[in-house]
């Protein structure tokens, strides 16, 4: 069974979607640890409710970025973590963690990368005037939202959308594709060559187009 470690900074709805997928039997995995940089993150309550160990650790307690991420890597490794999930972790992850978990750290981004990386992907998309946006699960490399793309889901952008209404439509898809990407990983179906991800026997599963027409 796959052992997962989750990093989250906030409300943790993606974290919850992963917990729910495990509890329903969709995902055969175990969450060994929640790491958070925010002592007031709602994700902590979710972890406690499901008896998941929590580690609160803040960069300011460390002399530099390298030692902070080395510490996190060590805590994850000590618990046998094989896959690291960034579920709303609001920091650019340091090299010290990436090198320990190369192509074993997944992030979810609320836009169709490579468009609109960084913060507020939903607002960027809506301000730009695109007609389709969505979300992307990708492996984490040293850049900001630049790593190999695993799965994307598309949603329509309506003229009267606000940042909130678009975010909500995208979030529903995030909750579907993140557990699914983890499931594919746990089944050994994901291979990465340079920056291209192949999914064994599931090529079409990497694309989820789901326009909820109204
Ligand atoms: C999501 O929009 C995700 O795409 C982004 O951060 C947000 C986290 O939300 N990376 P939550 O904490 O999972 O509810």
């Amino acid at each position: 069974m796959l052992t997962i470690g989750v990093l989250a900074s906030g409300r943790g709805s993606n974290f919850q979607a992963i917990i729910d997928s495990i509890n329903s039997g969709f995902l055969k995995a175990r969450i060994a640890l929640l790491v958070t940089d925010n002592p007031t993150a709602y994700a902590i309550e979710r972890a406690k409710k499901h008896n998941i160990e929590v580690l609160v650790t803040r960069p300011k307690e460390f002399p530099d970025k390298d030692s902070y991420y080395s510490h996190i890597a060590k805590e994850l490794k000590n618990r046998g973590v094989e896959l690291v999930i960034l579920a709303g972790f609001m920091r650019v992850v340091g090299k010290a963690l990436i090198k320990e978990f190369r192509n074993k750290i997944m992030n979810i981004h609320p836009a169709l990368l490579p468009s609109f990386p960084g913060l507020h992907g939903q607002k960027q998309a809506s301000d730009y005037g695109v007609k389709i946006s969505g979300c992307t699960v990708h492996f984490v490399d040293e850049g900001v939202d630049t790593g190999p793309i695993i799965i994307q889901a598309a949603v329509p952008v309506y003229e009267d959308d606000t940042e909130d209404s678009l975010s909500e439509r995208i979030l529903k898809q995030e909750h579907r594709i993140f557990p699914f990407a983890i499931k594919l990983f746990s089944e050994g179906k994901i291979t990465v060559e340079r920056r291209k991800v192949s999914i064994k026997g599931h090529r079409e599963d990497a694309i989820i187009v789901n326009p909820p027409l109204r």
Side-chain angles (χ1 to χ4, degrees):
M1 193 189 286
L2 183 74
T3 301
I4 296 174
V6 176
L7 273 60
S9 304
R11 71 185 162 183
S13 72
N14 278 287
F15 175 41
Q16 186 67 53
I18 295 162
I19 294 171
D20 294 345
S21 300
I22 292 173
N23 290 346
S24 73
F26 175 77
L27 187 56
K28 290 185 182 41
R30 179 180 82 84
I31 303 175
L33 184 65
L34 170 73
V35 179
T36 183
D37 57 342
N38 173 13
T40 63
Y42 187 64
I44 297 174
E45 309 308 314
R46 299 184 194 268
K48 284 186 180 157
K49 198 167 160 207
H50 295 276
N51 293 316
I52 295 166
E53 188 189 350
V54 178
L55 172 69
V56 181
T57 179
R58 305 168 90 176
K60 65 176 186 193
E61 295 154 7
F62 293 82
D64 52 34
K65 195 167 170 176
D66 256 6
S67 49
Y68 179 59
Y69 286 99
S70 296
H71 173 68
I72 293 178
K74 198 181 80 197
E75 296 290 339
L76 293 166
K77 291 253 159 167
N78 282 347
R79 289 163 182 82
V81 167
E82 299 158 284
L83 178 69
V84 180
I85 298 298
L86 306 187
F89 186 65
M90 301 310 286
R91 291 177 187 278
V92 177
V93 166
K95 291 188 183 77
L97 181 61
I98 297 169
K99 78 173 196 306
E100 291 296 329
F101 289 93
R102 175 71 58 191
N103 288 337
K104 290 177 183 164
I105 306 175
M106 282 185 190
N107 180 46
I108 183 122
H109 181 73
L112 293 177
L113 293 171
S115 294
F116 316 123
L119 290 175
H120 305 292
Q122 306 95 329
K123 184 172 186 315
Q124 291 185 57
S126 134
D127 288 351
Y128 194 93
V130 293
K131 302 295 185 193
I132 296 175
S133 192
C135 48
T136 304
V137 180
H138 64 94
F139 286 118
V140 172
D141 66 7
E142 285 77 3
V144 176
D145 301 323
T146 52
I149 290 171
I150 304 165
I151 294 191
Q152 297 187 299
V155 304
V157 181
Y158 299 121
E159 279 177 23
D160 58 355
D161 263 333
T162 60
E163 185 181 356
D164 284 351
S165 63
L166 178 58
S167 298
E168 195 186 316
R169 190 173 310 121
I170 292 173
L171 192 65
K172 281 198 186 119
Q173 300 307 313
E174 295 184 29
H175 296 163
R176 286 177 66 199
I177 69 172
F178 215 178
F180 187 60
I182 299 167
K183 182 182 167 76
L184 292 172
F185 185 94
S186 73
E187 292 169 348
K189 287 184 174 157
I190 296 181
T191 50
V192 190
E193 211 174 305
R194 297 172 72 88
R195 60 159 302 111
K196 283 208 178 173
V197 171
S198 308
I199 299 173
K200 208 162 117 199
H202 282 261
R203 239 181 282 175
E204 66 286 0
D205 284 350
I207 311 157
I208 300 179
V209 181
N210 187 33
L213 297 172
R214 24 168 220 186

